[in-house]
């Protein structure tokens, strides 16, 4: 019996989640992604570079170590999948041409490094460091450092020598980026000038490795979308720290059963009285966006943290007993500190590294 064709334009979310990723009727060709890939190739041609990294649909953004093909997340290939990714993870990484092009330029830097063995050059290592340095589960960064370019969020150039190079490459490749003037007075300008010289040296030169393996391509993913998101969420989720109660007690006031009933009675006369949960829910979007912009952490990580804090505040019957603006400021500081701990140590506690 021939399986019923999958219509992504009219499929229900329930049916979509039950669909295996490999069965999705998707491709780069004929979509907005094709325009982005062609845009990348045009930028490379404009720089006189012959190598065009092959792009394919994978489970995430990636250029596997030693390979020269760029993996683009499968969910970007159709609006229904983008909506699902956004609903499940709060954002769809690479959504929209601007963001997609930033990531394509970044991944192209990896592909060029492997295609021409750039990372093995002595001068490359002198400028960026050793490519053999191990990737940590997290990294510390200096927000105001002028030794690194700023391209992707989260000061990603400071993560690893390879990322320092590819972020520099991405800034150098960006049309009308005007890096010569933008980075005047920065130590990062020397890296950009080095990349400019390095790319000039391979103009018109064919790559040593023109093609590579397409690892983790979507056609090989036999799991359903439901299992994919459960696995993805579990991988990123962090346990609640055990010091929430103490910290929340400094911002909000927990009530006894008797006090809680009295509070509910007073609310009938004064609608401005709020529980801690109501305050967090009311301003969660503003808090999330503010912390996302200042830390570069993924939105769903911050959102999950806010949800857990809100739930705990509800369980403790906490109310807002000080000016709302002050409570919001203290809450913002607390959530930001937890987020920064997570970035630097891999844990919201900030006490040890994740293995």
């Amino acid at each position: 019996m021939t399986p019923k064709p999958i219509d992504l334009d009219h499929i229900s979310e329930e049916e979509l989640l039950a669909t295996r990723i490999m069965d999705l009727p998707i491709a780069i060709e004929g979509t907005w992604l094709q325009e982005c890939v062609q845009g990348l190739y045009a930028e490379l041609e404009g720089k006189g570079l012959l190598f065009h990294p092959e792009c394919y649909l994978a489970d995430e953004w990636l250029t596997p170590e030693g390979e020269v093909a760029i993996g683009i997340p499968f969910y970007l290939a159709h609006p229904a999948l983008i909506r699902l990714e956004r609903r499940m993870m709060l954002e769809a990484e690479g959504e929209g041409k601007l963001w997609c092009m930033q990531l394509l330029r970044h991944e192209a830097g990896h592909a060029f490094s492997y295609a021409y063995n750039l990372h093995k050059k002595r001068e490359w290592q002198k400028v960026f460091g050793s490519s053999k340095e191990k990737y940590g589960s997290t990294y510390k960064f200096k927000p105001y450092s002028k030794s690194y370019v700023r391209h992707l969020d989260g000061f990603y150039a400071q993560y690893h020598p390879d990322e320092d190079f590819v972020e520099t490459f991405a800034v150098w490749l960006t049309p009308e980026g005007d890096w010569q003037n933008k980075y005047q007075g920065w130590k990062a300008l020397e890296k950009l000038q080095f990349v400019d010289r390095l790319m000039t040296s391979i103009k018109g030169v064919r790559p040593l490795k023109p093609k590579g393996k397409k690892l983790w391509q979507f056609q090989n993913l036999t799991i359903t979308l439901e299992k994919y998101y459960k696995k993805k969420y579990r991988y990123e989720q962090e346990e609640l720290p055990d010091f929430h109660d103490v910290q929340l007690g400094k911002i909000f006031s927990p009530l006894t059963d008797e006090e809680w009933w009295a509070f509910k009675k007073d609310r009938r006369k004064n609608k401005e009285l709020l529980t801690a949960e109501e305050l967090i829910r009311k301003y969660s979007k503003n808090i999330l966006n503010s912390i996302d912009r200042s830390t570069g952490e993924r939105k769903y990580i911050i959102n999950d943290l806010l949800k857990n804090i809100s739930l705990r505040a509800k369980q403790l019957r906490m109310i807002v007993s000080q000016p709302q603006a002050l409570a919001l400021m203290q809450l913002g500081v607390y959530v930001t500190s937890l987020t920064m701990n997570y970035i630097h140590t891999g844990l919201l506690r900030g006490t040890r590294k994740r293995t």
Side-chain angles (χ1 to χ4, degrees):
M1 184 176 178
T2 305
K4 182 181 178 181
I6 298 172
D7 184 356
L8 290 178
D9 292 319
H10 300 96
I11 194 171
S12 68
E13 184 174 299
E14 183 180 3
E15 292 175 312
L16 186 56
L17 286 170
T19 302
R20 294 188 305 177
I21 295 175
M22 66 184 297
D23 295 330
L24 293 170
I26 54 177
I28 291 176
E29 294 72 21
T31 70
W32 70 284
L33 289 176
Q34 183 177 15
E35 295 178 11
C36 291
V37 172
Q38 290 174 342
L40 173 68
Y41 294 164
E43 291 175 8
L44 295 172
E45 288 177 5
K47 296 286 190 178
L49 300 172
L50 294 181
F51 177 49
H52 290 179
E54 189 174 3
C55 297
Y56 65 100
L57 294 177
D59 64 339
E60 62 177 339
W61 286 101
L62 79 158
T63 306
E65 185 176 357
E67 300 302 332
V68 297
I70 298 173
I72 299 174
F74 67 87
Y75 58 76
L76 292 176
H78 193 279
L81 297 173
I82 292 176
R83 288 193 296 271
L84 180 63
E85 174 76 13
R86 198 188 304 130
R87 197 183 80 73
M88 301 299 286
M89 309 307 295
L90 292 184
E91 64 181 3
E93 188 179 20
E95 178 184 8
K97 186 175 181 180
L98 179 62
W99 197 0
C100 184
M101 291 304 299
Q102 284 181 313
L103 288 162
L104 279 175
R105 294 182 191 111
H106 174 96
E107 297 299 340
H110 283 300
F112 264 80
S113 183
Y114 299 138
Y116 291 90
N117 283 333
L118 301 178
H119 56 294
K120 294 182 179 181
K121 293 180 178 292
R122 185 173 299 177
E123 191 176 1
W124 188 102
Q125 295 172 4
K126 184 177 179 181
V127 173
F128 297 106
S130 174
S131 185
K132 294 180 180 180
E133 183 178 312
K134 289 186 177 181
Y135 274 82
S137 58
T138 56
Y139 63 101
K140 295 183 179 181
F141 58 81
K142 298 177 181 178
Y144 303 106
S145 175
K146 293 188 176 182
S147 296
Y148 304 87
V149 299
R150 296 177 185 176
H151 179 63
L152 296 180
D153 290 340
F155 306 95
Y156 203 57
Q158 300 185 39
Y159 190 3
H160 186 274
D162 283 352
E163 305 305 335
D164 190 6
F165 166 72
V166 300
E167 285 286 87
T168 306
F169 173 89
V171 168
W172 170 83
L173 183 61
T174 302
E176 301 177 1
D178 194 22
W179 56 265
Q180 294 92 336
N181 291 317
K182 183 177 179 180
Y183 287 93
Q184 275 293 334
W186 288 45
K187 183 72 173 177
L189 182 62
E190 296 177 12
K191 296 178 180 178
L192 283 160
Q193 292 169 337
F194 169 73
V195 168
D196 189 48
R197 294 194 303 272
L198 188 61
M199 293 302 110
T200 298
S201 72
I202 61 172
K203 278 186 180 181
V205 178
R206 297 195 178 280
L208 301 172
K209 186 176 183 179
K211 289 189 177 182
K213 298 177 182 178
K214 299 177 183 177
L215 302 178
W216 298 289
Q217 56 184 325
F218 90 96
Q219 292 96 331
N220 296 332
L221 301 178
T222 59
I223 62 173
T224 64
L225 280 163
E226 182 176 18
K227 290 182 178 179
Y228 165 79
Y229 281 113
K230 283 183 179 179
K231 183 178 179 181
K232 188 173 183 178
Y233 191 78
R234 266 198 316 269
Y235 180 76
E236 300 292 350
Q237 192 179 35
E238 188 58 65
E239 293 180 359
L240 278 176
D242 53 12
F243 53 66
H244 266 331
D245 293 3
V246 174
Q247 296 299 324
L248 289 180
K250 296 178 181 179
I251 305 171
F252 306 111
S253 297
L255 302 183
T256 63
D257 289 348
E258 185 177 344
E259 291 171 334
W260 178 250
W261 289 113
F263 171 78
K264 291 180 70 175
K265 185 177 180 180
D266 290 341
R267 283 193 60 175
R268 296 172 189 166
K269 302 175 183 178
N270 186 355
K271 299 298 182 181
E272 293 185 2
L273 293 176
L274 288 177
T275 65
E277 179 206 10
E278 289 169 335
L279 184 74
I280 296 170
R281 188 171 65 243
K282 182 178 180 180
Y283 293 100
S284 62
K285 187 174 182 180
N286 291 338
I287 296 172
L288 188 153
N289 289 333
S290 176
I291 296 175
D292 171 56
R293 285 194 300 269
S294 62
T295 67
E297 184 53 272
R298 291 153 293 187
K299 287 184 177 180
Y300 67 91
I301 297 291
I302 305 168
N303 187 68
D304 187 57
L305 175 58
L306 282 170
K307 283 183 178 179
N308 285 321
I309 289 175
S310 177
L311 176 62
R312 188 56 182 157
K314 181 180 180 180
Q315 291 170 340
L316 295 174
R317 291 179 174 175
M318 288 184 156
I319 65 168
V320 182
S321 56
Q322 59 178 326
Q324 289 186 23
L326 181 58
L328 282 170
M329 181 192 72
Q330 293 174 341
L331 178 65
V333 170
Y334 176 53
V335 177
T336 300
S337 68
L338 292 179
T339 304
M340 293 305 295
N341 282 340
Y342 181 81
I343 290 173
H344 290 315
T345 70
L347 290 172
L348 297 175
R349 304 174 194 272
T351 57
R352 61 181 174 84
K353 294 277 188 180
R354 278 192 301 182
T355 56

